[in-house]
Amino acid sequence: MKSIFGYFFFFFLACCLVSGAQDDPVLEQLLKNKNRYTDIMQTVDRYYKDPVTKSRLSGEDIIRRQKHWARWEWYMSRRLGPNGEFVNINQKMIEATGMKQDRNINGLSGQNRVASSTGVWVPVGPLDTESGIGRVDRLAFHPTDADIVYAGTTAGGLWRTTNAGTSWTNLTPDISSGGISGIVIDPTNTNTIYILTGDGDSNISGLVDDYGYMRLSIGVLKSTDGGANWKLTGQFPGADYTSLVGYRLVLHPTLNNILYACTNQGLFISVDGGDSWGLNNGAGRFYNMAFKPGSTNVCYAVGSSSDRTRSYFWSSTTSGLIWDSSNTINNQINNPTRRVELAVAPSNDEVVYLLAGGVPAAGGSFKGLFRSANSGASFVLQSSTPNILGRANDGSDNAQQSNYDLTIAVSNLSSSTIVVGAIEAWRSLTSGAAGGWVFRGNLHDDVHDLGFHPVGNKLWAATDGGVYSSTDNGANWTSHFESMNVSQFYRMAVSPDDFTNMIAGAQDNGVKQRTGNTSFFDQVLGADGFTVGYDAASSSVLYAITNQDVRRSTNGGANWSTITPNPPGNVSNPFAMSLAPHTSLGDALFVGSDSTWRTTNGGGSWNSSTIDAGWFLRTCPSNGNRVYAAGGTSFRATSGILRRSDDGGVTWPSANILSSNPGFPGTYPKITSINVDPTNSLRVWITFGGFTPNVKVYYSSDGGENWVNRSGTLPNVPINCIVLDNNNNAYVGTDNGVYYRGSQTTEWVPFYNNLPYVPVTDLIISQADNRIRAATFGRGIWSSDLYSSCVTDLVVAGTLEGQEFHEASNSVNSTAVLKVSQGTKVQMRGGLEVHLEPGFTAAQTTEFRALIGPCGSGGVAGFRSVTDSSMLTPERFITPAGGAKALVHLQAGFAGLQTILTVKEAGEIQLVLCDSAGNTIHQWNKTPYPVGKTERELILESSLKKPGFYYLHLIHNGEWQHMQEWEVK
């Protein structure tokens, strides 16, 4: 027996897999202790080219694993540090969007400010589709309404249906951590909802743990109004948030203030509704936990050691305060099993099932399904064949990826009816006994969660493609994709003939195509879709990359064929196309890889050069002979060269190596995008990924002979893409939204109003309808009007939520209320003033910033959290124009707070005491004062006077005026 409860009563969140390593112990061992991107990818490349590997794995299996690595490579290579090193991506994002300490910012409440609207984004889709819309990891059910179901996605937040899946509503449009791994609905008050952030199912190997390619957890969020507003609960004590992910969130069956969070860093418990948390068990990963039906004390949990070499089943008779792991089942499942899942039977409180995932042998294998008929005291192996974790519909293969997807559910009506989800779904009506398994695979691959609704016993499934339901225990499935725009898109293209027609490549869900002004997207190709494009000469000819193949359709996407011979490369090979009127070579398609491939007959034959263009390729609308290419010494290199060809890619002279020319950065991360002015092929822009400060966007007006740094005030986040309108105005898509820079302005301004918090991976402008479209990695495709000229005056009212920026050349009046919810970040700027009128509210959990300056002058990328009173950080304030209307001084030598107020203009004065971080310690009531000097003693509890520096602020008629430092020794 082991007690791990201790003193917890007093303790106070990116998708791609690396499953090529997680089910291959040989490769996993080769990668051990490697901590640089280039070393990892070189090892992976060598491994899959090794004849020994090819003799052990099938060609199909190697292609699948290489695809997973390519997805990881695509993401991580764009998010490295200044020296090509791995970094804590979440921390870098926080640092990049932290409030800058600009000294030209006026005070807070009531101060004069300004605003302007830049970007009003609306969803394009897919809001419905075929064969899969996007990955969903977790499900939860309303306790009394069969029509209400909650779905947690890997990158698109929390969704709810109130009509049994006919339509969905996003409940978390503004939170910054889109991966949801646990959902709890309080049965005594269903308006109270908890969500555990962090995409645990992508946390599949030590590599991912260390380098962070998944949605990391920011903890547990809580809503008390049915999901309208969210607040971050207390911190997990001792947790390392640079690698924290979640798996499940559990509520005590009768005590609705007790919560259990299963994470990769142990089991955390809260006894006060999430206000504070304690580490109940830090002995490794906890995948799931469940109470015995009808009991308030007996519960079970499953987990593994931190290195996943051993798995465990735990039981408790003290509501999880003390755990027993001595059960003999552990000798059966931990040698070593990668992951174990559990389920209890609502109709028989003695029955417990354990589903043991694959063992990391050659290709992996199914360890077995175990059943207990005595509340977990002992278990019996029901079956270990067929392989219900694999792909084959007869269970004859040895595939498995249990670290990524493993789930089991028991019917509410019969303890012998169970459904298992892994790569596919299987059903047993005989408690999982050998010979009783039936394949149920007519739903999307990769099943992450299964559950029977407590009302009506309908079975629901969460998969890589979205949500499904079944009314016959999984014999038949119905998809529920309507209005759940959670697709993770890499690239998109818009038809040159009709801007309503588009095509896009999605992770896990193939190539999606829209024809006409609709939110429905057909799935025209399966597997992973990546780069896509319309032929420059005919919009009925389309190209797409799926897996490592270049595919072509000549009838508008109805039918596709693989181009033979196929350019070698990777899933993310870039495309570029040229039109015959602008090139002597005829219509040309370029494909970039470790070399550059060109075809002028639709792939019937190819010409290639040794020039690497694996990073990016761009042809010029006004000059088809001019081609720009970026790439390294290999496809996965972190250092590379930017080149130009002036004869349609036939030659690439050394004189046209543009990255060696004046103004280009000496060292730089991966080039992520190239674009040119549509009317002038010499005006070229390039963008960079990574977290190298001030190396974001560069521009050349002479074809790359000379360069100018146009990074300006962009935050230090990866820049993923750039697009230009006909006037050379630029828009960039980043991991933090979209930013705009006019051709005649000197800085970038936010252009992300109403756009969700997800990486923007591609941008396209359609001048015909004056719109810009954005592909996102987690929330589908969005659209906005193009940037409009800065207005003179602006009124901002109503409720503001999410990321918003408002700007005007003169002034703004605002009575807006900032939504009191996690993720509300609002910025305003005016040339002369921003006037916050009565009714304007920015409360705790919201972030607000306002400043004075001309439109387009940048400097608005970051935030600082607002306290109840204001952002009262001493270095932020300057004397108001015209001088302070009142001053406050502390009398020298006085141990407490004896003040002298010097009032120059009669008015209502409030005094606020803050610590050095700007947090409000105490505020005194507003009091009217006449002109003159007044002595005032401020009473302060001795417990608040801890050693350190404090700042006493004076606010006169709602406007900040003066501040004095107070040191307590």
Side-chain angles (χ1 to χ4, degrees):
M1 300 285 288
K2 180 182 179 182
S3 174
I4 30 74
F5 180 65
Y7 50 92
F8 86 91
F9 278 102
F10 301 99
F11 275 101
F12 141 108
L13 142 188
C15 255
C16 178
L17 315 177
V18 191
S19 60
Q22 66 95 5
D23 57 5
D24 193 328
V26 178
L27 178 56
E28 192 168 347
Q29 187 64 31
L30 292 173
L31 293 173
K32 190 174 182 180
N33 298 324
K34 286 187 167 52
N35 55 14
R36 291 191 65 82
Y37 164 85
T38 50
D39 295 339
I40 290 167
M41 295 317 303
Q42 287 172 1
T43 301
V44 170
D45 284 344
R46 287 194 300 266
Y47 178 73
Y48 287 117
K49 292 177 181 177
D50 191 314
V52 176
T53 303
K54 292 181 178 181
S55 68
R56 188 171 61 85
L57 300 175
S58 69
E60 180 182 351
D61 202 21
I62 288 176
I63 290 174
R64 177 181 62 84
R65 298 182 188 205
Q66 286 178 319
K67 178 188 73 172
H68 290 160
W69 276 108
R71 286 162 28 168
W72 182 86
E73 176 276 332
W74 171 83
Y75 192 91
M76 292 306 300
S77 66
R78 297 162 175 249
R79 290 162 178 84
L80 300 172
N83 299 311
E85 74 277 13
F86 290 110
V87 298
N88 177 357
I89 296 174
N90 270 20
Q91 184 61 36
K92 288 293 184 181
M93 291 295 294
I94 292 171
E95 293 172 0
T97 57
M99 177 65 90
K100 297 180 179 179
Q101 299 299 326
D102 301 319
R103 295 195 60 84
N104 64 337
I105 302 172
N106 290 327
L108 249 223
S109 301
Q111 195 77 353
N112 291 335
R113 329 256 177 178
V114 272
S116 130
S117 180
T118 54
V120 181
W121 293 88
V122 295
V124 173
L127 300 184
D128 199 8
T129 186
E130 301 171 310
S131 303
I133 196 165
R135 182 173 141 203
V136 178
D137 282 348
R138 297 292 180 266
L139 297 168
F141 307 113
H142 192 282
T144 60
D145 192 330
D147 290 336
I148 299 180
V149 179
Y150 296 81
T153 68
T154 183
L158 179 69
W159 295 75
R160 177 177 61 200
T161 177
T162 59
N163 49 24
T166 300
S167 62
W168 296 85
T169 301
N170 183 257
L171 300 182
T172 55
D174 307 320
I175 68 170
S176 58
S177 181
I180 308 299
S181 56
I183 312 167
V184 159
I185 315 300
D186 186 343
T188 65
N189 180 0
T190 56
N191 281 324
T192 298
I193 308 170
Y194 299 88
I195 52 176
L196 174 61
T197 59
D199 174 19
D201 281 358
S202 287
N203 188 245
I204 58 176
S205 78
L207 188 69
V208 176
D209 293 351
D210 294 340
Y211 308 138
Y213 181 33
M214 85 287 290
R215 301 306 192 276
L216 291 170
S217 179
I218 60 173
V220 173
L221 296 173
K222 179 179 182 179
S223 173
T224 58
D225 52 13
N229 298 281
W230 296 90
K231 182 178 180 180
L232 187 63
T233 66
Q235 294 281 295
F236 293 154
D240 179 2
Y241 280 83
T242 67
S243 61
L244 179 69
V245 294
Y247 289 103
R248 296 280 179 174
L249 193 62
V250 178
L251 187 69
H252 189 280
T254 58
L255 302 176
N256 60 358
N257 60 333
I258 298 182
L259 292 160
Y260 306 80
C262 299
T263 78
N264 65 331
Q265 296 179 25
L267 179 68
F268 295 91
I269 302 183
S270 173
V271 297
D272 52 15
D275 287 347
S276 60
W277 294 84
L279 178 60
N280 178 258
N281 193 330
R285 298 172 186 271
F286 274 72
Y287 292 116
N288 204 349
M289 176 186 164
F291 273 83
K292 177 179 179 178
S295 174
T296 60
N297 298 317
V298 178
C299 53
Y300 319 102
V302 287
S304 71
S305 57
S306 297
D307 60 3
R308 303 191 187 189
T309 59
R310 302 184 71 81
S311 294
Y312 296 98
F313 168 76
W314 303 78
S315 63
S316 172
T317 58
T318 58
S319 298
L321 305 187
I322 300 175
W323 292 96
D324 184 353
S325 64
S326 62
N327 194 291
T328 55
I329 183 63
N330 290 307
N331 296 324
Q332 296 174 271
I333 64 174
N334 61 10
N335 59 345
T337 302
R338 284 300 195 172
R339 181 170 174 177
V340 176
E341 270 295 340
L342 73 85
V344 296
S347 64
N348 186 337
D349 59 13
E350 297 292 315
V351 173
V352 183
Y353 287 97
L354 295 181
L355 176 64
V359 178
S365 61
F366 171 39
K367 185 63 183 296
L369 178 80
F370 300 84
R371 181 180 185 270
S372 172
N374 53 14
S375 300
S378 62
F379 284 83
V380 175
L381 175 64
Q382 299 294 94
S383 58
S384 58
T385 58
N387 179 23
I388 60 175
L389 306 184
R391 291 179 174 80
N393 59 13
D394 61 356
S396 61
D397 64 356
N398 63 356
Q400 67 91 28
Q401 50 188 37
S402 55
N403 277 1
Y404 177 58
D405 43 30
L406 191 70
T407 181
I408 179 173
V410 186
S411 167
N412 299 315
L413 307 179
S414 170
S415 64
S416 61
T417 299
I418 59 175
V419 183
V420 164
I423 297 175
E424 306 288 353
W426 291 73
R427 185 191 70 181
S428 172
L429 303 180
T430 57
S431 302
W437 290 106
V438 179
F439 178 80
R440 295 301 180 195
N442 62 321
L443 74 169
H444 198 283
D445 284 358
D446 299 331
V447 183
H448 292 268
D449 201 10
L450 291 165
F452 288 88
H453 201 297
V455 182
N457 202 49
K458 180 186 283 189
L459 176 63
W460 292 79
T463 77
D464 268 8
V467 178
Y468 293 77
S469 72
S470 173
T471 57
D472 52 15
N473 298 320
N476 298 279
W477 295 92
T478 300
S479 62
H480 299 287
F481 302 153
E482 180 67 37
S483 67
M484 188 182 280
N485 63 327
V486 294
S487 300
Q488 294 173 273
F489 283 121
Y490 293 105
R491 299 295 303 276
M492 69 172 174
V494 173
S495 169
D497 299 331
D498 185 346
F499 57 81
T500 65
N501 295 339
M502 62 179 60
I503 188 170
Q507 181 173 303
D508 296 317
N509 290 281
V511 175
K512 302 293 187 182
Q513 182 183 25
R514 184 179 89 154
T515 54
N517 191 16
T518 175
S519 61
F520 180 86
F521 283 57
D522 292 305
Q523 180 159 315
V524 294
L525 286 171
D528 275 24
F530 206 95
T531 310
V532 294
Y534 288 84
D535 190 90
S538 172
S539 60
S540 63
V541 177
L542 289 77
Y543 297 91
I545 290 181
T546 59
N547 295 339
Q548 295 181 353
D549 296 327
V550 180
R551 311 288 293 276
R552 182 172 184 253
S553 172
T554 59
N555 55 6
N559 303 101
W560 294 79
S561 60
T562 299
I563 292 177
T564 305
N566 211 284
N570 210 292
V571 297
S572 58
N573 287 355
F575 284 168
M577 299 174 198
S578 292
L579 268 174
H582 303 297
T583 174
S584 58
L585 302 173
D587 299 337
L589 166 68
F590 296 84
V591 178
S593 64
D594 291 354
S595 50
T596 302
W597 293 70
R598 182 184 77 254
T599 179
T600 57
N601 56 14
S605 61
W606 295 86
N607 296 102
S608 66
S609 71
T610 59
I611 299 303
D612 186 282
W615 285 359
F616 208 83
L617 268 171
R618 179 68 70 185
T619 55
C620 304
S622 63
N623 183 351
N625 285 320
R626 183 155 289 144
V627 186
Y628 294 91
T633 54
S634 69
F635 175 77
R636 295 185 172 107
T638 56
S639 60
I641 294 173
L642 177 67
R643 295 178 170 90
R644 188 186 78 225
S645 171
D646 295 326
D647 56 8
V650 176
T651 63
W652 300 82
S654 57
N656 287 354
I657 295 179
L658 311 180
S659 47
S660 299
N661 289 340
F664 205 85
T667 58
Y668 49 91
K670 188 172 186 176
I671 294 173
T672 55
S673 181
I674 307 169
N675 220 322
V676 294
D677 185 330
T679 64
N680 188 329
S681 66
L682 294 178
R683 296 175 182 169
V684 57
W685 300 70
I686 59 171
T687 66
F688 298 91
F691 293 94
T692 302
N694 202 38
V695 182
K696 301 300 166 189
V697 180
Y698 275 68
Y699 171 73
S700 173
S701 61
D702 53 14
E705 299 300 319
N706 296 276
W707 293 94
V708 177
N709 186 350
R710 288 200 168 173
S711 302
T713 52
L714 285 172
N716 185 19
V717 299
I719 311 299
N720 303 315
C721 51
I722 185 168
V723 68
L724 307 166
D725 65 17
N726 288 338
N727 296 313
N728 206 30
N729 301 311
Y731 301 78
V732 292
T734 78
D735 276 8
N736 187 45
V738 176
Y739 292 80
Y740 167 85
R741 175 172 175 154
S743 59
Q744 303 302 313
T745 60
T746 60
E747 287 296 350
W748 300 88
V749 294
F751 192 80
Y752 49 43
N753 290 0
N754 205 41
L755 193 64
Y757 285 113
V758 282
V760 176
T761 55
D762 209 354
L763 291 169
I764 292 178
I765 286 177
S766 171
Q767 298 279 179
D769 63 340
N770 195 47
R771 295 193 72 77
I772 181 172
R773 291 170 175 84
T776 73
F777 200 65
R779 287 296 308 276
I781 296 173
W782 291 68
S783 174
S784 171
D785 285 335
L786 293 175
Y787 182 88
S788 57
S789 299
C790 188
V791 298
T792 303
D793 298 296
L794 184 67
V795 175
V796 180
T799 300
L800 305 181
E801 60 178 298
Q803 290 193 121
E804 290 205 20
F805 171 62
H806 301 277
E807 182 179 56
S809 61
N810 185 17
S811 65
V812 62
N813 287 357
S814 180
T815 58
V817 175
L818 275 60
K819 187 176 181 180
V820 186
S821 185
Q822 197 73 26
T824 297
K825 298 181 178 182
V826 177
Q827 303 183 81
M828 298 180 183
R829 177 174 57 205
L832 298 178
E833 63 176 7
V834 178
H835 191 73
L836 305 183
E837 298 181 338
F840 177 88
T841 304
Q844 256 185 331
T845 74
T846 64
E847 299 183 49
F848 174 75
R849 189 186 193 204
L851 62 156
I852 305 301
C855 289
S857 56
V860 292
F863 289 91
R864 173 180 168 77
S865 295
V866 180
T867 66
D868 280 334
S869 294
S870 302
M871 296 180 294
L872 297 175
T873 305
E875 63 267 32
R876 295 197 52 73
F877 296 94
I878 59 175
T879 301
K885 298 174 183 177
L887 304 171
V888 59
H889 291 280
L890 300 175
Q891 282 190 335
F894 189 77
L897 281 174
Q898 188 72 22
T899 65
I900 297 177
L901 303 179
T902 302
V903 181
K904 299 180 179 179
E905 180 178 317
E908 193 173 59
I909 290 177
Q910 182 179 30
L911 296 172
V912 179
L913 184 67
C914 296
D915 62 17
S916 59
N919 300 309
T920 299
I921 301 300
H922 190 76
Q923 52 188 347
W924 288 267
N925 293 335
K926 298 176 182 178
T927 304
Y929 281 85
V931 173
K933 289 188 177 181
T934 304
E935 292 189 11
R936 178 178 175 182
E937 182 178 3
L938 303 179
I939 306 301
L940 189 67
E941 294 179 14
S942 59
S943 62
L944 298 177
K945 294 185 290 186
K946 299 176 181 178
F949 283 89
Y950 295 82
Y951 300 89
L952 184 64
H953 298 265
L954 185 150
I955 299 173
H956 178 278
N957 288 344
E959 297 180 357
W960 181 91
Q961 300 294 316
H962 192 222
M963 173 272 296
Q964 283 285 284
E965 179 184 280
W966 176 44
E967 183 180 9
V968 177
K969 297 182 178 179

